[in-house]
Amino acid sequence: MRIAVTNDDGVYSPGLLLLYEAVSSLGETVVIAPLEPRSAKGASLSLEEPIRLYELEVEGVHVYGISGSPSDAVHVARELLGKVDVLVSGVNIGDNTSIQNILVSGTVGAAAEAALLGIPAVAFSADVEGPRQFLEDDYRRLVVRAARAVTRLVAEEGLPEGVDLLCVNFPREFRGIVKLAPPARLRWREKLERRVDPRGRVYYWLYGEPMDPEPGTDVYVVHVEGGIAITPISLDFRARGINSVKLERLATEVSRAVAKC
Amino acid sequence: MRIAVTNDDGVYSPGLLLLYEAVSSLGETVVIAPLEPRSAKGASLSLEEPIRLYELEVEGVHVYGISGSPSDAVHVARELLGKVDVLVSGVNIGDNTSIQNILVSGTVGAAAEAALLGIPAVAFSADVEGPRQFLEDDYRRLVVRAARAVTRLVAEEGLPEGVDLLCVNFPREFRGIVKLAPPARLRWREKLERRVDPRGRVYYWLYGEPMDPEPGTDVYVVHVEGGIAITPISLDFRARGINSVKLERLATEVSRAVAKC
Protein backbone atom coordinates (compact mmCIF):
# COMPACT_ATOMS: atom_id res chain seq x y z
CA MET A 1 0.00 0.00 0.00
CA ARG A 2 1.27 3.46 -0.90
CA ILE A 3 0.44 6.28 1.50
CA ALA A 4 0.99 10.02 1.07
CA VAL A 5 1.17 12.27 4.14
CA THR A 6 0.77 16.03 3.82
CA ASN A 7 -0.41 19.03 5.86
CA ASP A 8 -0.90 22.80 5.63
CA ASP A 9 1.21 23.82 8.63
CA GLY A 10 4.41 23.04 6.76
CA VAL A 11 7.22 20.48 6.95
CA TYR A 12 8.33 21.52 10.44
CA SER A 13 4.99 21.08 12.19
CA PRO A 14 5.14 18.27 14.78
CA GLY A 15 1.66 17.24 13.61
CA LEU A 16 3.12 16.09 10.28
CA LEU A 17 5.60 13.64 11.80
CA LEU A 18 2.97 12.49 14.26
CA LEU A 19 0.77 11.48 11.34
CA TYR A 20 3.75 9.80 9.69
CA GLU A 21 4.31 7.86 12.92
CA ALA A 22 0.66 6.80 12.87
CA VAL A 23 0.54 5.48 9.30
CA SER A 24 4.07 4.51 8.24
CA SER A 25 3.72 0.91 9.47
CA LEU A 26 0.75 0.43 7.11
CA GLY A 27 2.73 0.70 3.87
CA GLU A 28 5.22 2.62 1.75
CA THR A 29 4.87 6.17 3.02
CA VAL A 30 5.93 9.46 1.44
CA VAL A 31 5.80 12.68 3.45
CA ILE A 32 5.40 15.76 1.27
CA ALA A 33 4.21 19.13 2.53
CA PRO A 34 4.58 22.87 1.97
CA LEU A 35 7.89 24.38 3.08
CA GLU A 36 6.01 27.23 4.72
CA PRO A 37 2.72 27.24 6.63
CA ARG A 38 -0.26 27.48 4.28
CA SER A 39 -3.08 27.64 6.78
CA ALA A 40 -6.46 28.88 5.55
CA LYS A 41 -5.36 28.64 1.93
CA GLY A 42 -8.14 26.19 1.08
CA ALA A 43 -7.78 24.04 -2.00
CA SER A 44 -5.30 26.46 -3.64
CA LEU A 45 -3.31 25.19 -6.61
CA SER A 46 -0.13 26.65 -8.11
CA LEU A 47 -1.04 27.45 -11.69
CA GLU A 48 0.79 30.76 -12.12
CA GLU A 49 3.94 29.64 -10.33
CA PRO A 50 6.05 26.51 -10.88
CA ILE A 51 6.37 24.03 -8.02
CA ARG A 52 9.82 23.43 -6.51
CA LEU A 53 10.67 20.25 -4.67
CA TYR A 54 13.28 19.94 -1.89
CA GLU A 55 14.47 16.86 0.00
CA LEU A 56 14.85 17.33 3.75
CA GLU A 57 15.54 15.26 6.81
CA VAL A 58 13.28 16.18 9.75
CA GLU A 59 14.00 14.32 12.99
CA GLY A 60 15.35 11.37 11.06
CA VAL A 61 12.43 11.20 8.64
CA HIS A 62 12.87 11.85 4.92
CA VAL A 63 10.48 14.67 3.99
CA TYR A 64 9.79 16.38 0.68
CA GLY A 65 9.18 20.11 1.00
CA ILE A 66 7.41 21.92 -1.82
CA SER A 67 7.08 25.59 -2.67
CA GLY A 68 3.35 25.22 -3.30
CA SER A 69 0.13 24.35 -1.51
CA PRO A 70 -1.18 21.21 0.20
CA SER A 71 -3.24 20.42 -2.91
CA ASP A 72 -0.12 20.76 -5.05
CA ALA A 73 1.49 18.20 -2.73
CA VAL A 74 -1.16 15.65 -3.71
CA HIS A 75 -0.15 15.93 -7.35
CA VAL A 76 3.57 15.75 -6.62
CA ALA A 77 2.98 12.74 -4.33
CA ARG A 78 1.30 10.97 -7.23
CA GLU A 79 4.31 11.78 -9.39
CA LEU A 80 6.71 10.43 -6.76
CA LEU A 81 4.77 7.29 -5.80
CA GLY A 82 3.31 6.47 -9.21
CA LYS A 83 -0.01 5.71 -7.52
CA VAL A 84 -1.32 6.86 -4.14
CA ASP A 85 -3.65 4.38 -2.41
CA VAL A 86 -4.57 6.65 0.49
CA LEU A 87 -3.81 10.26 1.35
CA VAL A 88 -3.76 11.54 4.91
CA SER A 89 -3.44 15.21 5.76
CA GLY A 90 -2.56 16.83 9.08
CA VAL A 91 -2.48 16.56 11.96
CA ASN A 92 -3.52 20.19 11.79
CA ILE A 93 -2.75 22.61 14.60
CA GLY A 94 -6.32 23.67 15.36
CA ASP A 95 -9.49 21.74 14.64
CA ASN A 96 -11.24 21.95 11.29
CA THR A 97 -14.80 21.53 12.42
CA SER A 98 -17.74 23.21 10.56
CA ILE A 99 -18.36 23.86 6.87
CA GLN A 100 -16.82 27.30 7.38
CA ASN A 101 -13.46 25.79 8.36
CA ILE A 102 -13.66 22.94 5.87
CA LEU A 103 -14.06 25.43 3.01
CA VAL A 104 -10.93 27.36 3.98
CA SER A 105 -8.64 24.71 5.48
CA GLY A 106 -5.58 23.70 3.49
CA THR A 107 -5.49 20.42 5.41
CA VAL A 108 -8.98 19.55 4.20
CA GLY A 109 -8.25 21.11 0.78
CA ALA A 110 -5.51 18.54 0.14
CA ALA A 111 -7.87 15.71 1.10
CA ALA A 112 -10.55 17.14 -1.20
CA GLU A 113 -8.09 17.38 -4.09
CA ALA A 114 -7.12 13.75 -3.53
CA ALA A 115 -10.79 12.73 -3.39
CA LEU A 116 -11.41 14.33 -6.79
CA LEU A 117 -8.55 12.23 -8.15
CA GLY A 118 -10.26 9.12 -6.79
CA ILE A 119 -7.85 8.67 -3.86
CA PRO A 120 -9.43 7.79 -0.48
CA ALA A 121 -8.48 10.64 1.84
CA VAL A 122 -8.67 11.65 5.47
CA ALA A 123 -7.95 15.07 7.00
CA PHE A 124 -6.88 15.00 10.65
CA SER A 125 -7.00 18.10 12.84
CA ALA A 126 -6.76 18.75 16.56
CA ASP A 127 -7.95 21.43 18.93
CA VAL A 128 -4.48 21.57 20.50
CA GLU A 129 -3.40 24.49 22.62
CA GLY A 130 -0.39 24.80 20.32
CA PRO A 131 2.09 22.59 18.45
CA ARG A 132 3.75 21.55 21.73
CA GLN A 133 0.71 19.50 22.72
CA PHE A 134 1.62 17.10 19.89
CA LEU A 135 4.81 16.32 21.83
CA GLU A 136 3.01 15.09 24.98
CA ASP A 137 3.09 11.30 25.33
CA ASP A 138 -0.59 10.79 26.16
CA TYR A 139 -1.76 12.99 23.32
CA ARG A 140 0.62 11.34 20.86
CA ARG A 141 -0.70 7.92 21.80
CA LEU A 142 -4.32 9.01 21.32
CA VAL A 143 -3.67 10.55 17.90
CA VAL A 144 -1.44 7.74 16.65
CA ARG A 145 -3.88 5.00 17.60
CA ALA A 146 -6.95 6.75 16.21
CA ALA A 147 -5.26 7.92 12.99
CA ARG A 148 -3.80 4.47 12.36
CA ALA A 149 -7.17 2.75 12.84
CA VAL A 150 -8.97 5.20 10.53
CA THR A 151 -6.30 5.11 7.84
CA ARG A 152 -6.05 1.32 7.85
CA LEU A 153 -9.79 0.86 7.44
CA VAL A 154 -10.15 3.56 4.77
CA ALA A 155 -7.19 2.17 2.82
CA GLU A 156 -8.43 -1.41 3.01
CA GLU A 157 -12.13 -0.87 2.45
CA GLY A 158 -12.46 2.55 0.83
CA LEU A 159 -15.21 5.01 1.72
CA PRO A 160 -18.96 4.38 1.34
CA GLU A 161 -20.77 5.63 -1.78
CA GLY A 162 -21.46 9.35 -1.51
CA VAL A 163 -18.61 10.01 0.92
CA ASP A 164 -15.63 11.75 -0.70
CA LEU A 165 -13.39 12.13 2.33
CA LEU A 166 -13.34 12.00 6.10
CA CYS A 167 -12.51 14.83 8.47
CA VAL A 168 -11.34 13.60 11.85
CA ASN A 169 -11.09 16.16 14.63
CA PHE A 170 -9.47 15.56 18.00
CA PRO A 171 -10.50 17.42 21.17
CA ARG A 172 -8.00 19.14 23.46
CA GLU A 173 -8.86 16.80 26.35
CA PHE A 174 -10.19 13.44 25.30
CA ARG A 175 -13.12 12.17 27.36
CA GLY A 176 -13.46 8.73 25.82
CA ILE A 177 -16.07 9.48 23.14
CA VAL A 178 -15.76 8.71 19.41
CA LYS A 179 -18.69 9.86 17.26
CA LEU A 180 -19.76 10.16 13.65
CA ALA A 181 -21.01 13.74 13.35
CA PRO A 182 -22.07 16.03 10.48
CA PRO A 183 -20.34 19.40 10.21
CA ALA A 184 -21.92 22.48 11.75
CA ARG A 185 -22.40 25.27 9.21
CA LEU A 186 -20.58 28.01 11.11
CA ARG A 187 -18.01 28.05 13.85
CA TRP A 188 -16.85 31.66 13.84
CA ARG A 189 -18.45 35.06 13.83
CA GLU A 190 -15.83 36.76 11.70
CA LYS A 191 -14.67 40.27 12.41
CA LEU A 192 -12.17 42.78 11.13
CA GLU A 193 -10.05 44.82 13.47
CA ARG A 194 -8.69 48.06 12.11
CA ARG A 195 -5.24 49.06 13.34
CA VAL A 196 -2.67 51.69 12.53
CA ASP A 197 0.98 50.68 12.10
CA PRO A 198 3.92 52.64 13.59
CA ARG A 199 4.22 54.50 10.29
CA GLY A 200 0.64 55.73 10.54
CA ARG A 201 -0.82 53.43 7.93
CA VAL A 202 -4.04 51.47 8.34
CA TYR A 203 -4.26 47.68 8.22
CA TYR A 204 -6.83 45.06 9.18
CA TRP A 205 -6.76 41.77 11.05
CA LEU A 206 -9.39 39.18 10.22
CA TYR A 207 -10.36 37.06 13.20
CA GLY A 208 -13.30 35.12 14.53
CA GLU A 209 -15.20 34.77 17.77
CA PRO A 210 -16.47 31.23 18.38
CA MET A 211 -20.21 30.70 18.03
CA ASP A 212 -22.33 28.48 20.29
CA PRO A 213 -22.14 24.97 18.85
CA GLU A 214 -25.31 23.09 17.96
CA PRO A 215 -25.65 19.66 19.64
CA GLY A 216 -24.93 16.74 17.31
CA THR A 217 -22.45 18.63 15.15
CA ASP A 218 -18.71 18.09 14.83
CA VAL A 219 -18.08 21.35 16.74
CA TYR A 220 -20.19 20.12 19.65
CA VAL A 221 -18.52 16.71 19.82
CA VAL A 222 -15.01 18.22 19.87
CA HIS A 223 -15.55 21.38 21.93
CA VAL A 224 -18.34 20.42 24.33
CA GLU A 225 -18.19 16.64 24.67
CA GLY A 226 -14.41 16.22 24.44
CA GLY A 227 -14.88 13.55 21.78
CA ILE A 228 -13.17 12.59 18.54
CA ALA A 229 -15.51 13.59 15.70
CA ILE A 230 -15.44 11.60 12.47
CA THR A 231 -17.16 13.64 9.78
CA PRO A 232 -17.94 12.17 6.35
CA ILE A 233 -17.79 14.88 3.70
CA SER A 234 -19.41 15.00 0.29
CA LEU A 235 -18.04 17.31 -2.39
CA ASP A 236 -21.31 17.20 -4.28
CA PHE A 237 -22.00 20.92 -4.62
CA ARG A 238 -25.18 20.26 -6.61
CA ALA A 239 -28.07 22.14 -5.07
CA ARG A 240 -31.26 20.13 -4.88
CA GLY A 241 -33.44 23.14 -5.67
CA ILE A 242 -32.24 23.33 -9.27
CA ASN A 243 -35.75 23.10 -10.72
CA SER A 244 -37.35 25.58 -8.37
CA VAL A 245 -39.80 28.03 -9.90
CA LYS A 246 -37.57 30.90 -8.78
CA LEU A 247 -34.58 29.59 -10.71
CA GLU A 248 -36.61 28.66 -13.79
CA ARG A 249 -37.87 32.24 -13.84
CA LEU A 250 -34.34 33.57 -13.43
CA ALA A 251 -33.17 31.56 -16.45
CA THR A 252 -36.13 32.86 -18.46
CA GLU A 253 -35.35 36.47 -17.51
CA VAL A 254 -31.71 36.04 -18.52
CA SER A 255 -32.79 34.49 -21.84
CA ARG A 256 -34.96 37.52 -22.47
CA ALA A 257 -32.19 39.96 -21.50
CA VAL A 258 -29.74 38.44 -23.98
CA ALA A 259 -32.26 37.60 -26.71
CA LYS A 260 -30.74 40.06 -29.16
CA CYS A 261 -27.07 39.36 -28.34
CA MET B 1 -29.34 48.33 -2.26
CA ARG B 2 -25.65 47.83 -1.47
CA ILE B 3 -23.61 45.77 -3.90
CA ALA B 4 -20.02 44.52 -3.54
CA VAL B 5 -18.05 43.59 -6.66
CA THR B 6 -14.89 41.49 -6.41
CA ASN B 7 -12.83 39.02 -8.44
CA ASP B 8 -9.71 36.87 -8.28
CA ASP B 9 -7.92 38.19 -11.36
CA GLY B 10 -7.09 41.44 -9.56
CA VAL B 11 -8.05 45.10 -9.79
CA TYR B 12 -6.71 45.53 -13.33
CA SER B 13 -8.71 42.76 -14.97
CA PRO B 14 -11.20 44.16 -17.52
CA GLY B 15 -13.69 41.57 -16.24
CA LEU B 16 -13.94 43.43 -12.93
CA LEU B 17 -14.99 46.74 -14.46
CA LEU B 18 -17.31 44.90 -16.83
CA LEU B 19 -19.13 43.47 -13.83
CA TYR B 20 -19.19 46.93 -12.25
CA GLU B 21 -20.76 48.25 -15.45
CA ALA B 22 -23.38 45.50 -15.27
CA VAL B 23 -24.50 46.09 -11.69
CA SER B 24 -23.71 49.67 -10.71
CA SER B 25 -27.09 51.01 -11.87
CA LEU B 26 -28.82 48.66 -9.40
CA GLY B 27 -27.56 50.34 -6.23
CA GLU B 28 -24.65 51.70 -4.24
CA THR B 29 -21.70 49.71 -5.55
CA VAL B 30 -18.26 49.16 -4.06
CA VAL B 31 -15.52 47.52 -6.12
CA ILE B 32 -12.92 45.78 -3.98
CA ALA B 33 -10.51 43.15 -5.26
CA PRO B 34 -7.02 41.75 -4.76
CA LEU B 35 -4.19 43.98 -6.00
CA GLU B 36 -2.57 40.96 -7.63
CA PRO B 37 -4.11 37.99 -9.44
CA ARG B 38 -5.22 35.27 -7.02
CA SER B 39 -6.46 32.67 -9.43
CA ALA B 40 -6.89 29.13 -8.13
CA LYS B 41 -6.48 30.28 -4.53
CA GLY B 42 -9.92 28.96 -3.57
CA ALA B 43 -11.56 30.33 -0.46
CA SER B 44 -8.22 31.43 1.06
CA LEU B 45 -8.34 33.85 4.00
CA SER B 46 -5.54 36.03 5.38
CA LEU B 47 -5.14 34.91 8.96
CA GLU B 48 -1.35 35.00 9.28
CA GLU B 49 -0.95 38.29 7.42
CA PRO B 50 -2.73 41.60 7.96
CA ILE B 51 -4.87 42.99 5.13
CA ARG B 52 -3.84 46.29 3.53
CA LEU B 53 -6.33 48.48 1.72
CA TYR B 54 -5.49 50.89 -1.12
CA GLU B 55 -7.72 53.32 -3.01
CA LEU B 56 -7.23 53.37 -6.75
CA GLU B 57 -8.83 54.89 -9.80
CA VAL B 58 -9.14 52.42 -12.69
CA GLU B 59 -10.55 53.86 -15.92
CA GLY B 60 -12.50 56.47 -13.98
CA VAL B 61 -13.92 53.98 -11.47
CA HIS B 62 -13.05 54.13 -7.78
CA VAL B 63 -11.61 50.75 -6.83
CA TYR B 64 -10.31 49.39 -3.52
CA GLY B 65 -7.31 47.12 -3.88
CA ILE B 66 -6.43 44.76 -1.05
CA SER B 67 -3.30 42.81 -0.25
CA GLY B 68 -5.34 39.69 0.49
CA SER B 69 -7.64 37.19 -1.17
CA PRO B 70 -11.09 37.44 -2.81
CA SER B 71 -12.65 36.05 0.37
CA ASP B 72 -10.84 38.70 2.42
CA ALA B 73 -12.44 41.25 0.09
CA VAL B 74 -15.90 40.10 1.21
CA HIS B 75 -15.07 40.94 4.81
CA VAL B 76 -13.54 44.31 3.96
CA ALA B 77 -16.54 45.13 1.75
CA ARG B 78 -18.80 44.51 4.72
CA GLU B 79 -16.62 46.83 6.79
CA LEU B 80 -16.80 49.55 4.11
CA LEU B 81 -20.51 49.26 3.27
CA GLY B 82 -21.81 48.41 6.75
CA LYS B 83 -24.05 45.77 5.16
CA VAL B 84 -23.75 44.03 1.79
CA ASP B 85 -27.07 43.09 0.16
CA VAL B 86 -25.57 41.17 -2.73
CA LEU B 87 -22.04 40.15 -3.70
CA VAL B 88 -20.98 39.55 -7.27
CA SER B 89 -17.62 38.12 -8.19
CA GLY B 90 -15.87 38.09 -11.57
CA VAL B 91 -16.15 38.23 -14.45
CA ASN B 92 -13.41 35.62 -14.30
CA ILE B 93 -11.00 35.13 -17.17
CA GLY B 94 -11.74 31.47 -17.86
CA ASP B 95 -14.89 29.56 -17.00
CA ASN B 96 -15.41 27.98 -13.60
CA THR B 97 -17.46 24.99 -14.61
CA SER B 98 -17.28 21.66 -12.69
CA ILE B 99 -16.88 20.87 -9.01
CA GLN B 100 -13.13 20.62 -9.63
CA ASN B 101 -12.94 24.28 -10.68
CA ILE B 102 -15.49 25.47 -8.13
CA LEU B 103 -13.38 24.02 -5.31
CA VAL B 104 -10.26 25.88 -6.40
CA SER B 105 -11.57 29.12 -7.92
CA GLY B 106 -11.00 32.35 -6.01
CA THR B 107 -13.94 33.90 -7.87
CA VAL B 108 -16.27 31.23 -6.55
CA GLY B 109 -14.46 31.21 -3.19
CA ALA B 110 -15.46 34.84 -2.57
CA ALA B 111 -19.09 34.04 -3.40
CA ALA B 112 -18.98 31.04 -1.05
CA GLU B 113 -17.54 33.18 1.75
CA ALA B 114 -20.35 35.71 1.23
CA ALA B 115 -22.93 32.91 1.22
CA LEU B 116 -21.70 31.68 4.61
CA LEU B 117 -22.21 35.22 5.92
CA GLY B 118 -25.79 35.11 4.65
CA ILE B 119 -25.17 37.39 1.67
CA PRO B 120 -26.77 36.33 -1.65
CA ALA B 121 -23.86 35.83 -4.03
CA VAL B 122 -23.17 35.13 -7.69
CA ALA B 123 -19.85 34.16 -9.29
CA PHE B 124 -19.53 35.07 -12.99
CA SER B 125 -16.89 33.47 -15.21
CA ALA B 126 -16.33 33.34 -18.95
CA ASP B 127 -14.56 30.99 -21.33
CA VAL B 128 -12.88 33.98 -23.01
CA GLU B 129 -9.84 33.55 -25.22
CA GLY B 130 -8.12 36.12 -23.00
CA PRO B 131 -8.88 39.37 -21.18
CA ARG B 132 -9.15 41.25 -24.49
CA GLN B 133 -12.39 39.49 -25.36
CA PHE B 134 -14.00 41.46 -22.50
CA LEU B 135 -13.29 44.62 -24.52
CA GLU B 136 -15.31 43.53 -27.59
CA ASP B 137 -18.64 45.34 -27.89
CA ASP B 138 -20.82 42.30 -28.59
CA TYR B 139 -19.31 40.32 -25.77
CA ARG B 140 -19.62 43.23 -23.34
CA ARG B 141 -23.28 43.62 -24.19
CA LEU B 142 -23.95 39.92 -23.61
CA VAL B 143 -22.21 39.84 -20.25
CA VAL B 144 -23.62 43.14 -19.01
CA ARG B 145 -27.22 42.22 -19.84
CA ALA B 146 -27.03 38.74 -18.37
CA ALA B 147 -25.13 39.75 -15.25
CA ARG B 148 -27.50 42.64 -14.59
CA ALA B 149 -30.59 40.44 -14.94
CA VAL B 150 -29.18 37.76 -12.62
CA THR B 151 -27.95 40.23 -10.01
CA ARG B 152 -31.20 42.19 -9.96
CA LEU B 153 -33.32 39.07 -9.42
CA VAL B 154 -31.01 37.58 -6.81
CA ALA B 155 -30.81 40.87 -4.91
CA GLU B 156 -34.57 41.42 -5.01
CA GLU B 157 -35.78 37.91 -4.33
CA GLY B 158 -32.87 36.04 -2.79
CA LEU B 159 -31.98 32.45 -3.62
CA PRO B 160 -34.26 29.45 -3.11
CA GLU B 161 -33.90 27.31 0.03
CA GLY B 162 -30.91 25.00 -0.27
CA VAL B 163 -29.10 27.16 -2.80
CA ASP B 164 -26.13 29.01 -1.31
CA LEU B 165 -24.84 30.77 -4.40
CA LEU B 166 -25.04 30.81 -8.18
CA CYS B 167 -22.22 30.19 -10.61
CA VAL B 168 -22.87 31.74 -14.01
CA ASN B 169 -20.56 30.72 -16.84
CA PHE B 170 -20.44 32.39 -20.27
CA PRO B 171 -19.35 30.55 -23.43
CA ARG B 172 -16.75 31.91 -25.82
CA GLU B 173 -19.29 32.19 -28.63
CA PHE B 174 -22.86 32.58 -27.49
CA ARG B 175 -25.41 30.54 -29.46
CA GLY B 176 -28.57 31.83 -27.84
CA ILE B 177 -29.03 29.24 -25.09
CA VAL B 178 -29.45 29.93 -21.36
CA LYS B 179 -29.73 26.85 -19.13
CA LEU B 180 -29.86 25.83 -15.50
CA ALA B 181 -27.25 23.08 -15.22
CA PRO B 182 -25.63 21.14 -12.37
CA PRO B 183 -21.84 21.11 -12.19
CA ALA B 184 -19.88 18.25 -13.75
CA ARG B 185 -17.55 16.58 -11.26
CA LEU B 186 -14.34 16.88 -13.24
CA ARG B 187 -13.21 19.11 -16.06
CA TRP B 188 -9.46 18.46 -16.17
CA ARG B 189 -7.19 15.47 -16.16
CA GLU B 190 -4.41 17.07 -14.14
CA LYS B 191 -0.78 16.46 -14.95
CA LEU B 192 2.64 17.53 -13.78
CA GLU B 193 5.34 18.44 -16.23
CA ARG B 194 8.91 18.17 -14.98
CA ARG B 195 11.33 20.75 -16.34
CA VAL B 196 14.87 21.82 -15.64
CA ASP B 197 15.67 25.53 -15.27
CA PRO B 198 18.72 27.21 -16.89
CA ARG B 199 20.61 26.65 -13.63
CA GLY B 200 20.03 22.91 -13.83
CA ARG B 201 17.40 22.74 -11.11
CA VAL B 202 14.16 20.79 -11.39
CA TYR B 203 10.72 22.35 -11.20
CA TYR B 204 7.17 21.25 -12.04
CA TRP B 205 4.24 22.81 -13.86
CA LEU B 206 0.75 21.69 -12.89
CA TYR B 207 -1.67 21.77 -15.81
CA GLY B 208 -4.79 20.02 -17.03
CA GLU B 209 -6.06 18.44 -20.19
CA PRO B 210 -9.80 18.91 -20.70
CA MET B 211 -11.99 15.84 -20.22
CA ASP B 212 -15.00 14.95 -22.38
CA PRO B 213 -17.97 16.77 -20.88
CA GLU B 214 -21.08 14.86 -19.87
CA PRO B 215 -24.34 16.10 -21.48
CA GLY B 216 -26.53 18.13 -19.13
CA THR B 217 -23.64 19.51 -17.07
CA ASP B 218 -22.37 23.08 -16.85
CA VAL B 219 -19.25 22.10 -18.83
CA TYR B 220 -21.41 20.74 -21.65
CA VAL B 221 -23.67 23.79 -21.82
CA VAL B 222 -20.71 26.19 -22.00
CA HIS B 223 -18.22 24.24 -24.10
CA VAL B 224 -20.42 22.15 -26.40
CA GLU B 225 -23.71 24.04 -26.68
CA GLY B 226 -22.33 27.57 -26.55
CA GLY B 227 -24.84 28.45 -23.83
CA ILE B 228 -24.81 30.46 -20.63
CA ALA B 229 -24.91 27.97 -17.74
CA ILE B 230 -26.55 29.02 -14.47
CA THR B 231 -25.46 26.59 -11.76
CA PRO B 232 -27.03 26.64 -8.30
CA ILE B 233 -24.48 25.59 -5.69
CA SER B 234 -25.02 24.15 -2.24
CA LEU B 235 -22.27 24.35 0.38
CA ASP B 236 -23.82 21.54 2.35
CA PHE B 237 -20.84 19.21 2.63
CA ARG B 238 -22.79 16.72 4.73
CA ALA B 239 -22.52 13.27 3.24
CA ARG B 240 -25.76 11.33 3.19
CA GLY B 241 -24.08 8.05 4.00
CA ILE B 242 -23.25 9.09 7.56
CA ASN B 243 -25.04 6.11 9.10
CA SER B 244 -23.66 3.50 6.77
CA VAL B 245 -22.56 0.20 8.30
CA LYS B 246 -19.03 0.86 7.08
CA LEU B 247 -18.74 4.15 8.95
CA GLU B 248 -20.42 2.83 12.09
CA ARG B 249 -17.83 0.08 12.12
CA LEU B 250 -15.04 2.58 11.57
CA ALA B 251 -16.19 4.59 14.59
CA THR B 252 -16.34 1.41 16.66
CA GLU B 253 -12.82 0.39 15.62
CA VAL B 254 -11.48 3.84 16.53
CA SER B 255 -13.26 3.65 19.92
CA ARG B 256 -11.54 0.35 20.53
CA ALA B 257 -8.13 1.66 19.45
CA VAL B 258 -8.27 4.59 21.88
CA ALA B 259 -10.09 2.77 24.70
CA LYS B 260 -7.13 3.02 27.07
CA CYS B 261 -6.11 6.59 26.16
Side-chain angles (χ1 to χ4, degrees):
Chain A
M1 180 161 58
R2 283 176 278 195
I3 306 162
V5 180
T6 192
N7 77 353
D8 77 353
D9 290 318
V11 289
Y12 296 108
S13 165
L16 183 67
L17 288 195
L18 186 52
L19 193 50
Y20 170 80
E21 184 184 331
V23 304
S24 59
S25 63
L26 302 174
E28 183 187 347
T29 305
V30 160
V31 182
I32 175 163
L35 285 167
E36 292 180 12
R38 297 275 179 154
S39 294
K41 302 306 177 205
S44 293
L45 286 176
S46 296
L47 301 183
E48 303 283 331
E49 323 80 35
I51 303 166
R52 292 282 188 180
L53 183 63
Y54 302 87
E55 299 197 41
L56 315 168
E57 188 99 357
V58 183
E59 293 181 39
V61 178
H62 184 266
V63 172
Y64 290 96
I66 60 164
S67 58
S69 69
S71 291
D72 291 337
V74 176
H75 293 280
V76 181
R78 237 179 16 157
E79 182 83 9
L80 294 170
L81 282 170
K83 182 172 176 287
V84 176
D85 295 306
V86 62
L87 176 122
V88 290
S89 181
V91 181
N92 192 65
I93 301 166
D95 60 294
N96 280 309
T97 50
S98 83
I99 288 171
Q100 193 176 29
N101 280 342
I102 288 166
L103 189 68
V104 170
S105 160
T107 305
V108 182
E113 187 71 15
L116 284 180
L117 299 173
I119 302 167
V122 187
F124 295 94
S125 309
D127 176 35
V128 283
E129 262 192 284
R132 292 185 64 85
Q133 194 172 347
F134 285 134
L135 306 175
E136 292 167 11
D137 282 347
D138 287 359
Y139 207 76
R140 291 185 77 83
R141 196 175 312 121
L142 174 74
V143 171
V144 162
R145 287 183 183 179
R148 186 176 296 153
V150 171
T151 306
R152 199 189 58 237
L153 271 167
V154 169
E156 283 171 3
E157 307 191 4
L159 291 166
E161 180 93 18
V163 178
D164 285 306
L165 57 130
L166 296 182
C167 285
V168 175
N169 283 285
F170 294 92
R172 191 164 301 181
E173 281 178 59
F174 181 55
R175 288 192 223 125
I177 298 164
V178 178
K179 272 191 185 172
L180 292 169
R185 187 165 171 97
L186 299 173
R187 168 143 167 63
W188 306 105
R189 196 169 286 110
E190 284 158 326
K191 305 203 164 184
L192 272 188
E193 188 171 305
R194 184 182 181 277
R195 294 197 178 182
V196 179
D197 74 16
R199 292 179 297 145
R201 292 170 55 210
V202 170
Y203 64 99
Y204 297 88
W205 284 115
L206 184 61
Y207 69 107
E209 285 172 356
M211 294 171 75
D212 280 343
E214 203 184 322
T217 63
D218 55 351
V219 183
Y220 196 86
V221 170
V222 171
H223 291 274
V224 180
E225 300 182 301
I228 298 173
I230 301 174
T231 302
I233 296 292
S234 158
L235 296 175
D236 183 359
F237 290 108
R238 284 177 295 183
R240 275 167 230 152
I242 187 160
N243 292 316
S244 76
V245 176
K246 212 178 236 182
L247 290 178
E248 295 284 6
R249 197 150 50 79
L250 188 139
T252 307
E253 292 264 343
V254 175
S255 281
R256 230 174 259 156
V258 299
K260 286 172 193 158
C261 290
Chain B
M1 181 161 60
R2 283 176 278 194
I3 306 162
V5 181
T6 193
N7 77 355
D8 76 354
D9 291 318
V11 290
Y12 295 108
S13 165
L16 182 68
L17 288 194
L18 186 53
L19 192 49
Y20 171 79
E21 184 184 330
V23 304
S24 59
S25 63
L26 302 175
E28 184 186 347
T29 305
V30 159
V31 183
I32 175 163
L35 285 167
E36 293 181 10
R38 296 276 179 155
S39 294
K41 300 307 178 205
S44 293
L45 286 176
S46 296
L47 301 183
E48 302 283 331
E49 322 80 35
I51 302 166
R52 291 284 188 178
L53 184 64
Y54 302 87
E55 298 197 40
L56 315 168
E57 188 99 357
V58 183
E59 293 180 39
V61 178
H62 184 266
V63 172
Y64 290 96
I66 60 164
S67 59
S69 70
S71 291
D72 291 338
V74 175
H75 293 280
V76 182
R78 237 178 18 155
E79 182 83 8
L80 294 170
L81 282 170
K83 183 173 175 288
V84 175
D85 295 306
V86 61
L87 176 123
V88 291
S89 181
V91 180
N92 191 64
I93 302 166
D95 60 294
N96 280 310
T97 50
S98 83
I99 288 171
Q100 192 176 31
N101 279 342
I102 287 166
L103 189 69
V104 169
S105 160
T107 305
V108 182
E113 188 70 16
L116 284 181
L117 299 172
I119 302 168
V122 187
F124 295 95
S125 309
D127 176 35
V128 284
E129 262 191 285
R132 294 185 63 86
Q133 193 172 347
F134 285 134
L135 305 175
E136 291 167 13
D137 282 348
D138 287 0
Y139 207 75
R140 292 185 77 82
R141 195 175 313 120
L142 174 73
V143 172
V144 163
R145 287 184 183 179
R148 186 176 294 154
V150 171
T151 307
R152 200 189 58 237
L153 271 167
V154 169
E156 283 173 2
E157 308 191 6
L159 290 167
E161 180 91 17
V163 177
D164 284 305
L165 59 130
L166 296 182
C167 285
V168 176
N169 283 287
F170 294 93
R172 190 163 302 180
E173 280 177 60
F174 181 55
R175 288 191 223 127
I177 298 164
V178 178
K179 274 191 184 171
L180 293 169
R185 188 165 170 96
L186 298 173
R187 167 144 167 64
W188 307 105
R189 196 168 287 110
E190 284 159 326
K191 304 202 167 185
L192 271 189
E193 188 171 306
R194 185 181 180 278
R195 294 197 177 182
V196 179
D197 75 15
R199 293 180 297 142
R201 291 172 55 211
V202 170
Y203 63 100
Y204 296 88
W205 283 114
L206 184 60
Y207 69 106
E209 285 172 357
M211 293 170 75
D212 280 343
E214 203 186 321
T217 63
D218 56 351
V219 183
Y220 196 86
V221 170
V222 171
H223 290 275
V224 180
E225 299 183 301
I228 298 172
I230 301 173
T231 302
I233 297 292
S234 159
L235 297 176
D236 183 0
F237 290 109
R238 284 177 294 183
R240 276 166 229 152
I242 187 161
N243 292 318
S244 76
V245 175
K246 212 178 236 183
L247 290 178
E248 295 285 6
R249 197 150 50 81
L250 189 138
T252 307
E253 292 263 343
V254 176
S255 281
R256 230 174 261 157
V258 299
K260 286 173 194 159
C261 290

